[in-house]
Amino acid sequence: MSETQIPGFNLFEEAVEYWVDATQRTILYWDVIRKRGNTYLEHLSKDQPPVLIFDYEVIIDGRTLEKPVNYSLSRILPRDGQTTDLNKRPIVVIDPRAGHGPGIGGTKEDSEIGLALKDSHPVYFIFFYTDPVPGQTLADVKNAEIHFLEEIRKRHPDADEPSVIGNCQAGWATAMLSADRPDITGPLVLAGSPLSYWAGVDGANPMRYRGGLCGGVWLSSFFSDLGKGKFDGANLVLNMELLNPANTFWTKQYNLYAKIDSEESRYLNFERWWGGFFCMTSEEIHFIVDSLFVGNKLEKGAMKMEDDREIDLKNLQDPVVVFASQGDNITPPQQALNWIVKVYGTVEEIKRKQQVLVYMVHKKIGHLGIFVATSVAKKEHKEIIGSMDMIDYLEPGLYEMIIEPGDNEMVMAENKVSYEERTIDDIMVLDDGMEDEQDFEPVAFLSEFNDGIYQAFFSPLVRMTTTEFTAEFLRQLHPLRIQRYPISDINPMMFPVSMLASMVRKYRKQASPDNFFVSLEKHFSKSIEDCLNYYRDVRDSSQESMFKALYGNPIVKMFFNKELPEEAKAEIKRQKDELQTQSLLEDEDVWLNRMTEGGFPEGVVRIMLAMAKADHIIDKAEFIVSEKIVRSHPTLKKIKPADFKKMVKGQSRMLQTDQELAIDTLVKLLKTPEERAEAFEIAEKIAMADNVLADEEKALLETIKKTLGI
């Protein structure tokens, strides 16, 4: 056979090479899919335990509590060679119960759990089982988690309160828990966690419209009835998959096919978690959809738990770190951050409540990448966990956490971490306004109306015709399950695939990367991805237009709206503003009258805080130097941590209320020349902590020097 010569390459040889490679990749691809099915069945046979790579021991099984729940508290066991400092702040990781199983926060060495272990923290993990306890509610789960945290406090009486990391949907659960019992938690980390469900940018965040277009909470009630009182979490996973059809139906699978020689392990590990579907009770999913997805009650302070007690996020007393990403299409930054605007309104109110709120917005990482990406773990999560103690001592206010590369030999730090003061406007600039949220008010009203009709007329009929067999039968027919177990070793037709795959691996022959047909394949794949992305954009745009046409309609708003008239809302806002202004004035009087209280410790702490915030940027290096000073000083090191923390908060508020007066009254606290000289020396050390003396720091040093008469 003659060869067809083309300048630069031989088409016939490249075609044969590509055909062999493509055929082998096809066989290997289906073998990996077969292994995925086997992994799914194996995971099911073990009751779907957490997908952690770390060993753990169960401390409390929530199924044995007075009000049993399908949650348990476990302690992560350190690796060989790792040490745990029992007096260090415990780190508690809670994974989302949003259809998948637990463990995503510890599937790699470089993960939230892995990094906390490396930093010698005692690490605990709160996980859940596949099936809920019949009748359990979110209030029961919250109370069980409170019990877990109380147990952790008992185990570490000399350590600071445990820091709780809530991933995705576990974030709002963590916020609710801490708002209800702020005495048992330390700093909170809300990673990719939505607390403002109506927020978003027009044309960019379509997921928030789904509840309204489906008619509200009645649909989850219907699915729960079909499940005999259990809601199948696979429905939530499918909803997430349909959000990005290109990735679901093509890109993820093609990436495996194209990189079949190197991608198998990563793909199977991820699918082990992604294919683990967990259930909720009908009470749980109804509460979540009605109160959060559709009702958005948490940020309003209108969410009621047991005994009709309302959960108010203003009751949060511990620092909160919000980690969001502009590349997250499930929890966009607006849904992660806008609750701060709604709950507090102004930075002055945040300071009055002596609250510390820190946020960090990644430029491009996707939703899952926030929890599983190694690059994110090594940078953002590492610095968040490493800064827990510092965050607990920040002045009340709103900050953005900035991480930049750069060594600091003085404090042996790999990255430069700083906290820059921000305003409410800095959060609002991420949004395109909150006016679009008014369209969601009729959704909440119609949701309750539709669910009332369903519960009264249709639910009894569905429940009457549903049995345990039909419920399980429908669960097994779910598209996400049926694509897994039939393509496994329980299907005898997959035996030839397994046999051929072993032969292919033995005689594997890859095509050259510059093969013409390989390049053509990649272009073809890109065209399919572009087509699916175009479909997604048209679909999302259509759904957004439909939502606005329906719920933005003035007639709909007139008849289906719980909102008060504009005049009434304006009056309520006026009264609220007056009350807040009065509270701020009263708070200022308190701190102005306490300016001269205390002695050397209060004076030194005030100077340290003033120097740290002189340029409105608080560096981690300054905190490390301050910590060394406190730990080595004969007077300061004797102060109990709780008392020292209280002192820091008080001195911070004095500086924020009137910094000039706070500096002028230092002479009342530092009474001797020796105390003043020592305090000024400490101020100089803080100023030079980052090896840079800013103009603001230089000016403040001169002011302190003059005030103290040095």
Side-chain angles (χ1 to χ4, degrees), residues 89 162-168 170-180 182 185-195 298 312-324 335-341 343-344 350 353-361 384 387-401 419-420 427 649:
R89 183 193 301 277
S163 176
V164 185
I165 301 175
N167 292 323
C168 188
W172 57 256
T174 299
M176 286 169 49
L177 183 155
S178 186
D180 188 40
T185 59
L188 310 180
V189 180
L190 311 181
S193 303
L195 273 73
L298 183 57
D312 188 352
L313 293 179
K314 263 196 178 182
N315 290 336
L316 291 170
Q317 296 179 11
D318 299 292
V320 179
V321 180
V322 178
F323 181 21
Q335 292 188 9
L337 291 169
N338 278 14
W339 66 274
I340 297 174
V341 182
V343 172
Y344 294 98
I350 296 174
K353 296 293 291 184
Q354 298 190 42
Q355 181 57 282
V356 174
L357 301 176
V358 179
Y359 70 90
M360 178 167 49
V361 181
I384 289 173
S387 301
M388 285 298 184
D389 291 334
M390 175 183 178
I391 291 169
D392 215 9
Y393 285 95
L394 284 177
E395 286 192 0
L398 178 64
Y399 301 89
E400 182 177 4
M401 185 176 181
Y419 298 84
E420 299 187 8
I427 291 179
K649 295 293 184 185

Coordinates of all heavy atoms in Angstrom, one line a residue, residues 89 162-168 170-180 182 185-195 298 312-324 335-341 343-344 350 353-361 384 387-401 419-420 427 649:
R89 N -5.5 24.8 70.3 CA -6.9 24.9 70.0 C -7.3 23.7 69.1 O -6.7 23.5 68.1 CB -7.1 26.2 69.2 CG -8.6 26.4 68.9 CD -8.8 27.6 67.9 NE -8.2 28.8 68.3 CZ -8.9 29.7 69.1 NH1 -10.1 29.4 69.5 NH2 -8.3 30.8 69.5
P162 N -12.8 25.4 70.5 CA -12.5 24.8 69.2 C -12.9 25.6 68.1 O -14.0 26.3 68.1 CB -13.3 23.5 69.3 CG -14.4 23.7 70.3 CD -13.8 24.6 71.3
S163 N -12.1 25.7 67.1 CA -12.4 26.4 65.8 C -13.1 25.4 64.9 O -12.7 24.2 64.8 CB -11.1 26.9 65.1 OG -11.4 27.4 63.9
V164 N -14.2 25.9 64.4 CA -15.1 25.0 63.6 C -15.0 25.4 62.1 O -15.3 26.6 61.8 CB -16.5 25.0 64.1 CG1 -17.4 24.0 63.3 CG2 -16.6 24.7 65.6
I165 N -14.7 24.4 61.2 CA -14.6 24.7 59.8 C -15.9 24.0 59.2 O -16.0 22.8 59.2 CB -13.4 24.1 59.1 CG1 -12.1 24.7 59.8 CG2 -13.4 24.3 57.6 CD1 -10.8 24.1 59.3
G166 N -16.8 24.8 58.6 CA -18.0 24.3 58.0 C -17.9 24.5 56.5 O -17.8 25.6 56.0
N167 N -17.8 23.3 55.8 CA -17.7 23.4 54.3 C -19.1 23.4 53.7 O -20.0 22.6 54.0 CB -17.0 22.1 53.8 CG -15.5 22.1 54.3 OD1 -14.9 23.2 54.3 ND2 -15.0 21.0 54.6
C168 N -19.3 24.3 52.7 CA -20.5 24.4 51.9 C -21.7 24.5 52.8 O -21.8 25.4 53.7 CB -20.6 23.2 50.9 SG -21.9 23.4 49.8
A170 N -22.5 22.9 55.3 CA -22.2 22.8 56.8 C -21.9 24.2 57.3 O -21.9 24.3 58.6 CB -21.0 21.8 57.0
G171 N -21.6 25.1 56.5 CA -21.3 26.5 56.9 C -22.5 27.2 57.6 O -22.3 27.7 58.7
W172 N -23.6 27.1 56.9 CA -24.8 27.8 57.6 C -25.2 27.0 58.8 O -25.7 27.6 59.8 CB -26.0 27.9 56.6 CG -26.5 26.7 56.0 CD1 -26.3 26.3 54.7 CD2 -27.4 25.7 56.6 NE1 -27.0 25.1 54.4 CE2 -27.7 24.7 55.6 CE3 -27.9 25.5 57.8 CZ2 -28.5 23.6 55.8 CZ3 -28.8 24.4 58.1 CH2 -29.0 23.5 57.1
A173 N -25.0 25.7 58.9 CA -25.3 24.9 60.1 C -24.4 25.3 61.2 O -24.8 25.4 62.4 CB -25.2 23.4 59.8
T174 N -23.1 25.5 60.9 CA -22.1 26.0 61.9 C -22.5 27.4 62.4 O -22.4 27.6 63.6 CB -20.7 26.0 61.2 OG1 -20.4 24.7 60.8 CG2 -19.7 26.5 62.2
A175 N -22.9 28.3 61.5 CA -23.2 29.6 61.9 C -24.5 29.6 62.8 O -24.5 30.3 63.8 CB -23.5 30.5 60.7
M176 N -25.4 28.7 62.5 CA -26.6 28.6 63.4 C -26.2 28.1 64.7 O -26.7 28.6 65.8 CB -27.6 27.6 62.7 CG -28.4 28.2 61.5 SD -29.3 26.9 60.6 CE -30.1 26.1 62.0
L177 N -25.4 27.1 64.8 CA -25.0 26.5 66.0 C -24.3 27.5 66.9 O -24.5 27.6 68.1 CB -24.0 25.3 65.7 CG -23.5 24.5 66.8 CD1 -23.1 23.1 66.3 CD2 -22.2 25.1 67.5
S178 N -23.3 28.3 66.3 CA -22.6 29.2 67.1 C -23.4 30.4 67.5 O -23.2 31.0 68.6 CB -21.4 29.8 66.2 OG -20.5 30.6 67.0
A179 N -24.4 30.8 66.7 CA -25.3 31.9 67.1 C -26.2 31.4 68.3 O -26.6 32.3 69.1 CB -26.2 32.3 65.9
D180 N -26.5 30.2 68.3 CA -27.3 29.6 69.4 C -26.5 29.4 70.7 O -27.0 29.7 71.8 CB -28.0 28.3 69.0 CG -29.0 27.8 69.9 OD1 -29.7 28.6 70.5 OD2 -29.0 26.6 70.2
P182 N -22.8 30.5 71.5 CA -21.5 31.1 71.2 C -20.5 30.8 72.2 O -19.3 31.0 72.0 CB -21.8 32.6 71.2 CG -23.1 32.8 72.0 CD -23.9 31.5 71.7
T185 N -17.9 27.7 71.0 CA -17.1 27.7 69.7 C -16.1 28.8 69.8 O -16.2 29.8 70.4 CB -18.0 27.9 68.5 OG1 -18.7 29.2 68.6 CG2 -19.0 26.8 68.4
G186 N -15.0 28.6 69.0 CA -14.0 29.6 68.7 C -14.2 30.2 67.4 O -15.4 30.2 66.9
P187 N -13.2 30.6 66.7 CA -13.3 31.1 65.3 C -14.0 30.2 64.4 O -13.7 29.0 64.4 CB -11.9 31.4 64.9 CG -11.1 31.6 66.2 CD -11.8 30.7 67.2
L188 N -14.9 30.7 63.5 CA -15.6 29.9 62.6 C -15.0 30.1 61.2 O -14.6 31.3 60.8 CB -17.1 30.2 62.5 CG -17.8 30.3 63.8 CD1 -19.3 30.7 63.6 CD2 -17.7 29.0 64.6
V189 N -14.9 29.1 60.4 CA -14.5 29.2 59.0 C -15.6 28.7 58.1 O -16.0 27.5 58.2 CB -13.2 28.4 58.7 CG1 -12.8 28.5 57.2 CG2 -12.0 28.8 59.6
L190 N -16.2 29.6 57.3 CA -17.3 29.2 56.4 C -16.7 29.1 55.0 O -16.5 30.2 54.4 CB -18.4 30.2 56.5 CG -18.9 30.6 58.0 CD1 -20.0 31.6 57.9 CD2 -19.3 29.3 58.7
A191 N -16.4 27.9 54.5 CA -15.8 27.8 53.2 C -16.8 27.4 52.2 O -17.4 26.4 52.2 CB -14.7 26.6 53.3
G192 N -17.0 28.3 51.2 CA -18.0 28.1 50.1 C -19.4 27.9 50.7 O -20.1 27.1 50.1
S193 N -19.7 28.7 51.7 CA -21.0 28.5 52.4 C -22.0 29.6 52.1 O -21.7 30.7 52.3 CB -20.7 28.4 53.9 OG -19.8 27.4 54.3
P194 N -23.2 29.2 51.6 CA -24.2 30.2 51.3 C -25.0 30.6 52.6 O -25.5 29.7 53.3 CB -25.1 29.5 50.3 CG -24.9 28.1 50.6 CD -23.6 27.9 51.2
L195 N -25.1 31.8 52.9 CA -26.0 32.3 54.0 C -27.0 33.3 53.5 O -28.0 33.6 54.1 CB -25.1 32.9 55.1 CG -24.6 32.0 56.2 CD1 -23.5 31.1 55.7 CD2 -24.1 32.7 57.4
L298 N -32.4 33.0 57.3 CA -31.3 33.0 58.3 C -30.7 34.4 58.3 O -30.5 35.0 59.4 CB -30.2 32.0 57.8 CG -29.0 31.9 58.7 CD1 -29.4 31.6 60.2 CD2 -28.0 30.9 58.2
D312 N -30.5 34.4 65.5 CA -30.0 35.7 65.0 C -28.5 35.7 64.9 O -27.8 35.4 65.8 CB -30.5 36.8 66.0 CG -30.2 38.2 65.5 OD1 -29.6 38.3 64.4 OD2 -30.6 39.1 66.2
L313 N -28.0 35.9 63.6 CA -26.6 35.9 63.4 C -25.9 37.0 64.1 O -24.6 36.9 64.3 CB -26.3 36.0 61.9 CG -26.8 34.8 61.1 CD1 -26.5 35.0 59.6 CD2 -26.1 33.5 61.6
K314 N -26.6 38.0 64.7 CA -25.9 39.0 65.5 C -25.5 38.5 66.8 O -24.7 39.1 67.5 CB -26.9 40.2 65.7 CG -26.7 41.3 64.7 CD -27.4 42.6 65.2 CE -27.1 43.7 64.2 NZ -27.7 45.0 64.7
N315 N -25.9 37.3 67.1 CA -25.5 36.7 68.4 C -24.1 36.0 68.3 O -23.6 35.5 69.3 CB -26.5 35.6 68.9 CG -27.8 36.3 69.3 OD1 -27.9 37.4 69.7 ND2 -28.9 35.5 69.2
L316 N -23.6 35.9 67.1 CA -22.3 35.4 66.9 C -21.3 36.2 67.7 O -21.2 37.5 67.5 CB -21.9 35.4 65.4 CG -22.6 34.4 64.5 CD1 -22.3 34.7 63.0 CD2 -22.3 33.0 64.8
Q317 N -20.4 35.6 68.5 CA -19.5 36.3 69.3 C -18.0 36.0 68.9 O -17.1 36.7 69.3 CB -19.7 36.0 70.8 CG -21.0 36.4 71.3 CD -21.3 36.1 72.7 OE1 -20.3 35.6 73.4 NE2 -22.5 36.2 73.2
D318 N -17.8 34.9 68.1 CA -16.5 34.5 67.8 C -16.2 35.0 66.4 O -17.1 35.2 65.5 CB -16.4 33.0 67.8 CG -16.6 32.5 69.2 OD1 -15.8 32.7 70.1 OD2 -17.6 31.8 69.4
P319 N -14.9 35.2 66.1 CA -14.5 35.7 64.7 C -15.0 34.7 63.6 O -15.1 33.5 63.9 CB -13.0 35.6 64.8 CG -12.6 35.8 66.2 CD -13.7 35.1 67.0
V320 N -15.4 35.3 62.5 CA -15.9 34.5 61.4 C -15.0 34.7 60.2 O -14.8 35.9 59.8 CB -17.3 34.8 61.1 CG1 -17.8 34.0 59.9 CG2 -18.2 34.6 62.3
V321 N -14.5 33.7 59.6 CA -13.7 33.8 58.3 C -14.6 33.2 57.2 O -15.0 32.0 57.3 CB -12.4 33.0 58.4 CG1 -11.6 33.1 57.1 CG2 -11.5 33.5 59.6
V322 N -14.8 34.0 56.2 CA -15.6 33.6 55.0 C -14.7 33.4 53.8 O -14.0 34.4 53.4 CB -16.7 34.6 54.7 CG1 -17.5 34.2 53.5 CG2 -17.6 34.8 55.9
F323 N -14.6 32.2 53.3 CA -13.8 31.9 52.2 C -14.7 31.6 51.0 O -15.4 30.6 50.9 CB -12.9 30.7 52.5 CG -11.9 30.4 51.4 CD1 -11.6 31.3 50.4 CD2 -11.3 29.1 51.3 CE1 -10.7 30.9 49.4 CE2 -10.4 28.8 50.3 CZ -10.1 29.7 49.3
A324 N -14.6 32.5 50.0 CA -15.5 32.4 48.8 C -14.6 32.5 47.5 O -13.4 32.7 47.6 CB -16.6 33.4 48.8
Q335 N -23.6 35.3 47.8 CA -24.3 34.5 48.7 C -23.5 34.2 49.9 O -24.1 33.9 51.0 CB -24.7 33.2 48.0 CG -25.8 33.4 46.9 CD -26.3 32.1 46.3 OE1 -26.1 31.0 46.9 NE2 -27.1 32.2 45.3
A336 N -22.2 34.2 49.8 CA -21.3 33.9 51.0 C -21.1 35.2 51.9 O -20.9 35.0 53.1 CB -20.0 33.4 50.5
L337 N -21.3 36.4 51.3 CA -20.9 37.6 52.0 C -22.0 38.6 52.3 O -21.9 39.3 53.3 CB -19.8 38.4 51.2 CG -18.5 37.7 51.1 CD1 -17.6 38.4 50.1 CD2 -17.8 37.7 52.5
N338 N -23.1 38.6 51.5 CA -24.1 39.6 51.7 C -24.8 39.6 53.0 O -25.4 40.6 53.4 CB -25.1 39.5 50.5 CG -24.6 40.2 49.3 OD1 -23.5 40.5 49.1 ND2 -25.5 40.4 48.3
W339 N -24.8 38.5 53.7 CA -25.4 38.4 55.0 C -24.8 39.4 56.0 O -25.4 39.9 56.9 CB -25.3 37.0 55.6 CG -23.9 36.6 55.9 CD1 -23.0 36.0 55.1 CD2 -23.3 36.7 57.2 NE1 -21.9 35.7 55.8 CE2 -22.0 36.1 57.0 CE3 -23.6 37.2 58.5 CZ2 -21.0 36.1 58.1 CZ3 -22.7 37.1 59.5 CH2 -21.4 36.6 59.3
I340 N -23.5 39.7 55.8 CA -22.8 40.7 56.6 C -23.5 42.1 56.5 O -23.7 42.8 57.5 CB -21.3 40.8 56.3 CG1 -20.6 39.5 56.5 CG2 -20.6 41.9 57.0 CD1 -19.2 39.4 56.0
V341 N -23.8 42.4 55.3 CA -24.5 43.7 55.0 C -25.9 43.7 55.6 O -26.3 44.7 56.3 CB -24.6 44.0 53.5 CG1 -25.3 45.3 53.2 CG2 -23.2 43.9 52.8
V343 N -27.2 41.8 58.1 CA -27.2 41.6 59.5 C -26.7 42.8 60.3 O -27.3 43.2 61.3 CB -26.4 40.3 59.9 CG1 -26.3 40.2 61.5 CG2 -27.1 39.1 59.4
Y344 N -25.6 43.4 59.8 CA -24.9 44.5 60.6 C -25.2 45.8 60.0 O -25.3 46.8 60.7 CB -23.4 44.2 60.7 CG -23.1 43.0 61.5 CD1 -22.8 41.8 60.9 CD2 -23.1 43.0 62.9 CE1 -22.5 40.6 61.6 CE2 -22.7 41.9 63.6 CZ -22.5 40.7 63.0 OH -22.2 39.6 63.7
I350 N -20.6 46.5 63.5 CA -19.8 45.3 63.7 C -18.9 45.5 64.9 O -18.7 44.7 65.7 CB -19.0 45.0 62.4 CG1 -19.9 44.6 61.3 CG2 -18.0 43.9 62.7 CD1 -19.2 44.4 59.9
K353 N -20.6 45.5 68.3 CA -20.9 44.2 68.7 C -19.6 43.4 69.1 O -19.6 42.2 69.4 CB -21.7 43.4 67.7 CG -23.1 44.0 67.4 CD -24.0 43.8 68.5 CE -24.4 42.4 68.8 NZ -25.3 42.2 69.9
Q354 N -18.4 44.1 68.9 CA -17.1 43.5 69.2 C -16.9 42.2 68.4 O -16.3 41.3 68.9 CB -16.9 43.3 70.7 CG -17.0 44.5 71.5 CD -16.6 44.3 73.0 OE1 -15.6 43.6 73.2 NE2 -17.3 44.9 73.9
Q355 N -17.4 42.3 67.1 CA -17.3 41.2 66.2 C -16.1 41.3 65.3 O -15.8 42.5 64.9 CB -18.6 41.0 65.5 CG -18.6 39.8 64.5 CD -18.3 38.5 65.2 OE1 -17.2 38.1 65.5 NE2 -19.4 37.7 65.5
V356 N -15.5 40.2 64.9 CA -14.4 40.2 63.9 C -14.9 39.4 62.7 O -15.2 38.2 62.9 CB -13.1 39.6 64.5 CG1 -12.1 39.5 63.4 CG2 -12.6 40.5 65.6
L357 N -15.0 40.0 61.6 CA -15.4 39.3 60.3 C -14.3 39.5 59.3 O -13.8 40.6 59.0 CB -16.7 40.0 59.8 CG -17.9 39.9 60.8 CD1 -19.1 40.6 60.1 CD2 -18.3 38.5 61.1
V358 N -13.8 38.4 58.8 CA -12.7 38.3 57.8 C -13.2 37.6 56.6 O -13.9 36.6 56.7 CB -11.5 37.6 58.4 CG1 -10.4 37.5 57.4 CG2 -11.0 38.2 59.7
Y359 N -12.9 38.1 55.4 CA -13.3 37.4 54.2 C -12.1 37.3 53.2 O -11.2 38.1 53.3 CB -14.5 38.1 53.5 CG -14.3 39.4 52.9 CD1 -13.9 39.5 51.6 CD2 -14.4 40.6 53.6 CE1 -13.7 40.7 51.0 CE2 -14.2 41.8 53.0 CZ -13.8 41.9 51.7 OH -13.6 43.1 51.1
M360 N -12.2 36.3 52.4 CA -11.2 36.1 51.4 C -11.9 35.6 50.1 O -12.6 34.6 50.2 CB -10.1 35.2 51.9 CG -9.0 34.9 50.8 SD -7.6 34.0 51.6 CE -8.4 32.7 52.5
V361 N -11.6 36.2 49.0 CA -12.3 35.8 47.7 C -11.2 35.4 46.7 O -10.4 36.2 46.3 CB -13.1 37.0 47.1 CG1 -13.8 36.6 45.9 CG2 -14.2 37.5 48.2
I384 N -5.1 30.1 56.8 CA -6.3 30.2 57.7 C -6.1 29.5 59.0 O -6.3 30.0 60.1 CB -7.6 29.8 57.0 CG1 -8.0 30.8 55.8 CG2 -8.8 29.7 58.0 CD1 -9.1 30.3 55.0
S387 N -3.5 30.9 61.2 CA -3.8 32.2 61.7 C -5.0 32.3 62.7 O -5.5 33.3 63.1 CB -4.1 33.2 60.6 OG -3.1 33.3 59.7
M388 N -5.5 31.1 63.1 CA -6.6 31.0 64.0 C -6.5 31.9 65.3 O -7.3 32.6 65.7 CB -6.9 29.6 64.4 CG -7.6 28.8 63.3 SD -9.2 29.4 62.8 CE -9.6 28.1 61.6
D389 N -5.3 31.7 65.9 CA -5.1 32.5 67.1 C -5.0 34.0 66.9 O -5.5 34.8 67.7 CB -3.8 32.0 67.8 CG -4.0 30.6 68.4 OD1 -5.1 30.2 68.6 OD2 -3.0 29.8 68.5
M390 N -4.4 34.3 65.8 CA -4.3 35.8 65.5 C -5.6 36.4 65.2 O -6.0 37.5 65.7 CB -3.4 36.0 64.2 CG -3.3 37.4 63.8 SD -2.4 37.6 62.3 CE -2.6 39.4 62.0
I391 N -6.5 35.7 64.5 CA -7.8 36.2 64.2 C -8.6 36.4 65.4 O -9.4 37.4 65.5 CB -8.5 35.2 63.2 CG1 -7.9 35.2 61.8 CG2 -10.0 35.5 63.1 CD1 -8.3 34.0 60.9
D392 N -8.4 35.6 66.4 CA -9.1 35.7 67.7 C -8.7 37.0 68.4 O -9.4 37.4 69.3 CB -8.8 34.5 68.5 CG -10.0 34.1 69.4 OD1 -11.1 34.7 69.2 OD2 -9.9 33.2 70.2
Y393 N -7.6 37.6 68.1 CA -7.1 38.8 68.8 C -7.2 40.0 67.9 O -6.7 41.1 68.3 CB -5.7 38.6 69.2 CG -5.6 37.7 70.5 CD1 -5.3 36.3 70.3 CD2 -5.8 38.2 71.7 CE1 -5.2 35.5 71.4 CE2 -5.7 37.4 72.9 CZ -5.4 36.0 72.7 OH -5.4 35.2 73.8
L394 N -7.8 39.9 66.7 CA -7.9 41.1 65.9 C -8.9 42.1 66.5 O -9.8 41.7 67.2 CB -8.5 40.7 64.5 CG -7.5 40.1 63.5 CD1 -8.3 39.7 62.2 CD2 -6.3 41.0 63.2
E395 N -8.7 43.4 66.2 CA -9.6 44.4 66.6 C -11.0 44.1 66.0 O -11.0 43.7 64.9 CB -9.2 45.8 66.2 CG -8.0 46.3 67.1 CD -7.8 47.8 66.8 OE1 -8.5 48.4 66.0 OE2 -6.9 48.4 67.4
P396 N -12.1 44.4 66.7 CA -13.4 44.3 66.1 C -13.5 45.1 64.7 O -12.9 46.2 64.7 CB -14.3 44.9 67.1 CG -13.6 44.7 68.4 CD -12.2 44.9 68.1
G397 N -14.1 44.5 63.7 CA -14.2 45.2 62.5 C -14.3 44.2 61.3 O -14.4 43.0 61.5
L398 N -14.3 44.7 60.1 CA -14.4 43.9 58.9 C -13.0 44.0 58.2 O -12.5 45.1 57.9 CB -15.5 44.5 58.0 CG -15.7 43.9 56.6 CD1 -16.2 42.4 56.8 CD2 -16.7 44.7 55.8
Y399 N -12.5 42.8 57.8 CA -11.2 42.7 57.2 C -11.2 41.8 56.0 O -12.0 40.9 55.9 CB -10.2 42.1 58.2 CG -10.0 42.9 59.4 CD1 -10.8 42.6 60.6 CD2 -9.0 43.9 59.5 CE1 -10.6 43.3 61.7 CE2 -8.8 44.6 60.7 CZ -9.6 44.3 61.8 OH -9.4 45.0 63.0
E400 N -10.3 42.1 55.1 CA -10.0 41.1 54.0 C -8.7 40.5 54.2 O -7.7 41.2 54.5 CB -10.0 41.8 52.6 CG -9.8 40.8 51.5 CD -9.8 41.5 50.1 OE1 -10.0 42.7 50.0 OE2 -9.7 40.7 49.1
M401 N -8.6 39.2 54.2 CA -7.4 38.4 54.4 C -6.6 38.4 53.1 O -7.1 37.9 52.0 CB -7.7 37.0 54.9 CG -6.4 36.2 55.2 SD -6.9 34.6 55.9 CE -5.3 33.9 56.3
Y419 N -4.2 41.5 57.2 CA -5.6 41.7 57.3 C -5.8 43.2 57.1 O -5.5 44.0 57.9 CB -6.1 41.3 58.6 CG -5.9 39.8 58.9 CD1 -4.7 39.3 59.3 CD2 -6.9 38.9 58.5 CE1 -4.5 37.9 59.5 CE2 -6.8 37.5 58.7 CZ -5.5 37.1 59.2 OH -5.4 35.7 59.3
E420 N -6.5 43.5 55.9 CA -6.7 44.9 55.6 C -8.1 45.3 55.9 O -9.1 44.6 55.6 CB -6.4 45.2 54.1 CG -4.9 44.8 53.7 CD -4.6 45.2 52.3 OE1 -5.5 45.9 51.6 OE2 -3.5 44.8 51.8
I427 N -17.8 45.1 50.1 CA -18.6 43.8 49.9 C -19.6 44.1 48.8 O -19.8 43.3 47.9 CB -19.3 43.4 51.2 CG1 -18.2 42.9 52.2 CG2 -20.3 42.3 50.9 CD1 -18.8 42.4 53.5
K649 N -9.9 43.2 73.5 CA -11.1 43.7 72.9 C -11.4 45.1 73.5 O -11.8 46.0 72.8 CB -12.3 42.7 73.2 CG -12.2 41.4 72.6 CD -12.3 41.4 71.1 CE -12.3 40.0 70.5 NZ -12.3 40.0 69.0

